[in-house]
Amino acid sequence: MIYVSLIVAFLASILLTPLVKRLAIRIGAVDAPNYRKVHARIMPRLGGLAIYAAFMIGIILLKVVTGFQSEYLYAILIAASIIVLTGVIDDMREISAKAKLLGQIVAACIVVFGGGIHIQIVNLPFGGELSFGWLGIPLTIIWIVGITNAINLIDGLDGLAAGVSTIALITMAATAMLLGDGIVIALASILAAATIGFLFFNFHPAKIFMGDTGALFLGFMISVIALLGLKNVTVIAFVIPVIMLGVPISDTFFAIVRRFRMKQKWSDPDKSHLHHRLLDLGFSHRQVVLLIYAMAAMFGLFAIIFSMASVWGAILIITVLLVAIELFVEIIGLAGKNYKPLLNFVRIFNK
């Protein structure tokens, strides 16, 4: 029956997106171009509302027809609705960063305290366990807020955030199938179907943007879905969602490094994110999006392989990934043009 829900969510997204586009134009939820943005004309945003509505339709259908239930479901859906409301208000009125953060924290608290979703114990690879105790609660909230904003930060090109999110969701669903985790399969696959439907209107050249409504909703849902299997896990399992989300996490991390090196506030916006750097290197809009899709798919494949690896195999995969990420970041100047510690070390070693 889940396949019917996927189809319905996909079709609902395709049918609802044009209606949301008209609504966005009517209420003034539009995105004007500026020095930081790539688009050159006013664009309707609020497209995330179509993704949210299509996702809810798919979940409700699955619940009504099959009786699908989970102890976490209602808390997740209520929290997601608060996130969407926060995004809608921002797309209409452009509220402050603090107000958006407040909405994210409220939603995260509903998931943690209302749904009971938080990291408790991590089993160490060579024996023993690490109990977070009460620290698991703030760590979980930080994770949710961090991933929510990481997806928001990569929403800078047509179809970029939607495509990267879809790849992450498909990876989560595939991993959940290996583990037999029903709620993750349902949430991830139905949300992926709704997002793919939206991509028909959002891929370059976009007819509508998802806005903060979509970016915050997708980021929030991805962060929560990733957490569902992480209440009592091994270190290996704990790292899997981090690998899946390698693109947004890396972009966010090196943005903070870049701003620290430039003596700027960590929250200051700039035009040096991953997609900006690739555009500066001469790639076209469409090429950059497809290239980052390929990176996201690579991380997803590594995450699946990682989930089946031995401890030493997992350590090897992590080492290769970290070195590859660092080299790539230094080559394209993601952390700043003069940030090249590994390349400088290689040059010194070769002399």
Side-chain angles (χ1 to χ4, degrees):
M1 183 61 206
I2 191 171
Y3 299 108
V4 176
S5 296
L6 295 180
I7 295 170
V8 169
F10 171 73
L11 293 176
S13 183
I14 290 177
L15 294 173
L16 290 170
T17 301
L19 300 178
V20 171
K21 179 183 175 182
R22 293 178 192 171
L23 174 65
I25 294 172
R26 180 172 296 180
I27 64 177
V30 294
D31 197 350
N34 62 35
Y35 78 98
R36 288 186 56 248
K37 297 177 181 177
V38 176
H39 63 283
R41 59 190 177 90
I42 292 177
M43 290 287 294
R45 48 192 180 190
L46 205 68
L49 193 58
I51 300 175
Y52 166 75
F55 167 75
M56 293 295 285
I57 290 170
I59 289 293
I60 291 170
L61 177 64
L62 184 66
K63 181 173 175 54
V64 169
V65 176
T66 69
F68 171 75
Q69 184 56 280
S70 167
E71 59 184 304
Y72 311 121
L73 185 61
Y74 289 118
I76 292 172
L77 296 183
I78 291 170
S81 299
I82 290 174
I83 281 288
V84 169
L85 178 61
T86 303
V88 169
I89 295 172
D90 185 59
D91 284 339
M92 292 175 59
R93 300 179 180 275
E94 295 193 8
I95 58 178
S96 68
K98 289 181 180 179
K100 283 194 287 186
L101 180 61
L102 177 61
Q104 295 167 38
I105 292 174
V106 169
C109 287
I110 290 174
V111 166
V112 171
F113 297 107
I117 303 172
H118 62 90
I119 304 164
Q120 297 176 356
I121 296 172
V122 173
N123 298 308
L124 301 175
F126 298 106
E129 63 182 29
L130 176 64
S131 176
F132 287 99
W134 66 269
L135 282 175
I137 292 175
L139 286 174
T140 301
I141 292 172
I142 290 170
W143 166 266
I144 293 173
V145 172
I147 297 302
T148 300
N149 284 285
I151 297 297
N152 198 20
L153 283 175
I154 65 168
D155 186 25
L157 295 179
D158 297 354
L160 183 54
V164 169
S165 296
T166 299
I167 292 168
L169 289 164
I170 291 172
T171 305
M172 288 179 184
T175 306
M177 287 178 187
L178 296 175
L179 301 174
D181 195 334
I183 185 171
V184 173
I185 294 171
L187 293 177
S189 58
I190 291 174
L191 183 54
T195 309
I196 291 170
F198 174 73
L199 266 170
F200 278 83
F201 304 89
N202 185 235
F203 193 74
H204 185 70
K207 299 178 180 65
I208 183 173
F209 292 160
M210 67 167 62
D212 272 17
T213 305
L216 295 178
F217 172 59
L218 287 175
F220 176 80
M221 288 300 301
I222 287 170
S223 69
V224 173
I225 292 170
L227 281 170
L228 286 174
L230 298 182
K231 294 182 70 178
N232 297 285
V233 297
T234 63
V235 168
I236 301 298
F238 189 79
V239 175
I240 291 172
V242 178
I243 298 176
M244 288 179 188
L245 299 169
V247 169
I249 288 176
S250 299
D251 192 26
T252 302
F253 174 77
F254 284 104
I256 294 172
V257 171
R258 181 175 64 248
R259 290 162 190 171
F260 177 78
R261 294 181 67 247
M262 300 296 180
K263 298 181 180 179
Q264 299 173 334
K265 293 181 181 178
W266 69 270
S267 57
D268 285 347
D270 60 23
K271 202 172 182 180
S272 297
H273 286 285
L274 175 59
H275 53 280
H276 293 130
R277 295 302 306 141
L278 292 175
L279 286 171
D280 290 342
L281 290 174
F283 292 99
S284 70
H285 191 127
R286 187 182 292 261
Q287 286 173 336
V288 169
V289 172
L290 293 176
L291 183 58
I292 296 178
Y293 282 1
M295 293 178 193
M298 180 199 71
F299 278 111
L301 179 60
F302 268 103
I304 293 173
I305 296 172
F306 186 89
S307 69
M308 298 182 289
S310 64
V311 173
W312 289 110
I315 292 172
L316 177 61
I317 290 172
I318 287 295
T319 302
V320 171
L321 269 178
L322 290 176
V323 172
I325 291 170
E326 178 64 24
L327 283 172
F328 180 73
V329 165
E330 292 181 23
I331 290 169
I332 69 169
L334 189 60
K337 294 181 180 180
N338 297 322
Y339 176 83
K340 298 182 179 180
L342 190 55
L343 288 175
N344 290 335
F345 175 79
V346 171
R347 291 191 188 102
I348 292 171
F349 185 77
N350 287 332
K351 286 182 179 179

